[in-house]
Amino acid sequence: MAYLTLKNINKIYPNGFHAVHDFNLEAERGEFIVFVGPSGCGKSTTLRMIAGLEDISKGEFLIDGQLANQWGPREREIAMVFQSYALYPNMTVYDNLAFGLNLQGVDEDIIEERVQKTAKILGLTDYLDRMPRALSGGQRQRVAVGRSIIRKVGIFLMDEPLSNLDAKQRVTMRSEITQIHRETGATTIYVTHDQTEAMTMADRIVVMKNGYIQQIGTPKEVYFNPVNVFVAGFIGEPPMNFIRRTVKNGCITIGKGTFDLSAKLGKDTAKYEGKEIVFGFRPEGVVLGKQENSYVTGGMVELTEMLGDNANVYIDIDGSKSILKVTPFEIPKMDTEVTFSIPVENAYLFDGETEMVI
Ligand code: ATP
């Protein structure tokens, strides 16, 4: 049985705004689930309903098979880390970590042992006597995480915990949180609008838009098998390129290339005749030059960006803008025409109307 079950969960705020629609998810014990989506899509609202900080308007929330809709945050045995780390400024790191346990009346010896263990996991042993103001942003966030994990809870909820950190600290904390998760084994739900965090940390990703789940899957599933244009465009950096074309004689024309859709769809092309489809390919899914079993086309190079291990090439194909990712040794000259191939397996087709994958 799943540890956390969300069955047709809805949130309608008192002003009538329907923020979350029929949210369904089963999380196994110990799983690391990431909710990802643009601002306002309902991630925090859903997390707050799981935490017991927000009423569930409709639907059922179960913890270990027991209906928990009416349980308070404490009964749910949940720890939560927010974006702002809100440490007690007049307490040392040690006292900040020990605070919750002190409140619960836990024995001094046990508190000492747990503080030391938590500090060790988080690399805070040398900072236990410091005040929060004498810590970097990353160290403060570690204390905030420490304050939550010290309580040994079954469910760990995090709402954009890295958004106040700089880019370098975010990368470090990302792997630290993954490591902590491995050590504590708590079922974790992590909210972010950053697809890189989702891809690098999650066992499974829940992609949301406008209060609706778009897709639930492992990072590989949402990256390689996106169900619609939104997921395909949201996951991956730079995002997938999309070109809209009308199907004529089972083919679409992109630049100099005529793409026979039967290579991808077999005999299924007839029903798309005369209809618009969205052709998608990832920047990293191309090969420069002509290649077999591929859709071959070309475009004018408008800009190149050397990134070190790879380079982005911005091209224009008959007015459609696309990005190609190439090695630093393949960067074409600006204002020249570049020919490239999209292996058939790297091409995605979406229905122009529903935007669902074909
Ligand atoms: P962000 O990444 O910006 O935090 P989010 O995906 O977490 O976004 P939520 O905070 O869950 O989004 O908000 C979802 C929607 O519900 C938004 O449109 C928001 O304006 C709305 N909303 C949030 N709180 C309330 C409230 N108390 N009353 C009415 N509407 C609300």
Side-chain angles (χ1 to χ4, degrees):
M1 186 206 310
Y3 186 52
L4 295 182
T5 306
L6 286 87
K7 261 194 218 164
N8 296 319
I9 296 281
N10 282 264
K11 179 67 190 181
I12 302 160
Y13 278 111
N15 67 357
F17 184 72
H18 201 152
V20 177
H21 299 256
D22 289 327
F23 192 105
N24 285 293
L25 174 71
E26 295 203 333
E28 298 302 328
R29 204 180 275 275
E31 236 189 324
F32 197 118
I33 305 262
V34 177
F35 294 173
V36 72
S39 184
C41 69
K43 310 177 293 287
S44 298
T45 301
T46 309
L47 194 76
R48 291 170 59 80
M49 287 193 281
I50 295 171
L53 299 171
E54 201 71 70
D55 286 340
I56 294 168
S57 311
K58 243 189 323 186
E60 289 183 350
F61 173 55
L62 293 92
I63 299 178
D64 216 3
Q66 288 183 284
L67 190 64
N69 286 43
Q70 303 302 331
W71 295 6
R74 266 181 193 279
E75 281 170 281
R76 296 182 190 203
E77 300 202 341
I78 274 168
M80 193 153 170
V81 179
F82 296 94
Q83 194 168 19
S84 58
Y85 9 92
L87 303 178
Y88 299 106
N90 300 322
M91 288 185 194
T92 60
V93 169
Y94 185 101
D95 290 336
N96 264 286
L97 289 174
F99 187 76
L101 299 178
N102 273 324
L103 274 190
Q104 288 173 9
V106 176
D107 263 8
E108 282 295 327
D109 292 354
I110 297 176
I111 292 182
E112 167 79 23
E113 188 195 316
R114 287 223 218 143
V115 168
Q116 292 296 350
K117 190 167 173 221
T118 306
K120 196 167 168 212
I121 293 174
L122 291 161
L124 290 168
T125 308
D126 294 340
Y127 304 95
L128 287 171
D129 294 332
R130 287 213 197 165
M131 292 296 185
R133 64 175 171 276
L135 299 177
S136 70
Q139 289 163 340
R140 280 182 218 171
Q141 188 57 297
R142 262 183 258 164
V143 180
V145 171
R147 253 191 346 196
S148 308
I149 62 170
I150 204 165
R151 283 179 38 224
K152 291 200 176 156
V153 291
I155 306 165
F156 200 25
L157 306 178
M158 297 197 232
D159 196 349
E160 308 238 4
L162 309 186
S163 51
N164 286 339
L165 305 181
D166 67 34
K168 221 172 191 171
Q169 287 172 329
R170 274 209 297 273
V171 175
T172 316
M173 272 306 280
R174 228 162 53 197
S175 57
E176 282 181 11
I177 288 176
T178 313
Q179 187 75 24
I180 292 163
H181 171 252
R182 217 173 290 150
E183 288 181 31
T184 60
T187 308
T188 303
I189 307 216
Y190 184 104
V191 162
T192 181
H193 59 265
D194 178 351
Q195 64 88 32
T196 312
E197 277 176 30
M199 289 296 279
T200 51
M201 300 170 90
D203 290 321
R204 280 189 303 153
I205 298 177
V206 178
V207 186
M208 296 179 70
K209 180 191 168 195
N210 293 341
Y212 289 92
I213 294 180
Q214 304 292 303
Q215 186 167 5
I216 302 178
T218 63
K220 266 192 185 159
E221 280 164 357
V222 293
Y223 178 83
F224 287 108
N225 299 309
V227 295
N228 59 24
V229 169
F230 177 79
V231 175
F234 196 82
I235 302 289
E237 179 57 36
M240 185 182 279
N241 299 299
F242 298 113
I243 298 176
R244 280 185 176 266
R245 290 289 185 267
T246 302
V247 180
K248 266 191 212 139
N249 302 323
C251 296
I252 55 169
T253 304
I254 297 177
K256 279 195 281 191
T258 299
F259 296 0
D260 185 347
L261 297 183
S262 64
K264 186 91 193 155
L265 301 178
K267 290 198 176 80
D268 225 15
T269 56
K271 62 179 175 212
Y272 295 102
E273 193 60 34
K275 295 211 170 119
E276 199 178 55
I277 61 158
V278 180
F279 181 89
F281 63 99
R282 294 204 180 272
E284 57 277 29
V286 302
V287 181
L288 291 187
K290 287 185 182 168
Q291 197 179 267
E292 299 265 303
N293 299 322
S294 299
Y295 294 128
V296 181
T297 185
M300 286 301 288
V301 178
E302 295 194 320
L303 182 74
T304 61
E305 274 177 353
M306 167 65 186
L307 298 168
D309 55 345
N310 58 58
N312 290 334
V313 180
Y314 293 74
I315 57 164
D316 179 288
I317 313 168
D318 290 348
S320 301
K321 308 290 175 189
S322 290
I323 303 176
L324 314 180
K325 201 176 246 190
V326 302
T327 71
F329 311 104
E330 297 175 311
I331 304 173
K333 285 206 171 63
M334 290 219 259
D335 300 321
T336 60
E337 194 172 340
V338 64
T339 299
F340 63 97
S341 308
I342 305 159
V344 169
E345 67 272 18
N346 291 355
Y348 293 83
L349 300 176
F350 303 92
D351 187 303
E353 215 168 296
T354 63
E355 301 206 334
M356 297 303 286
V357 75
I358 298 173

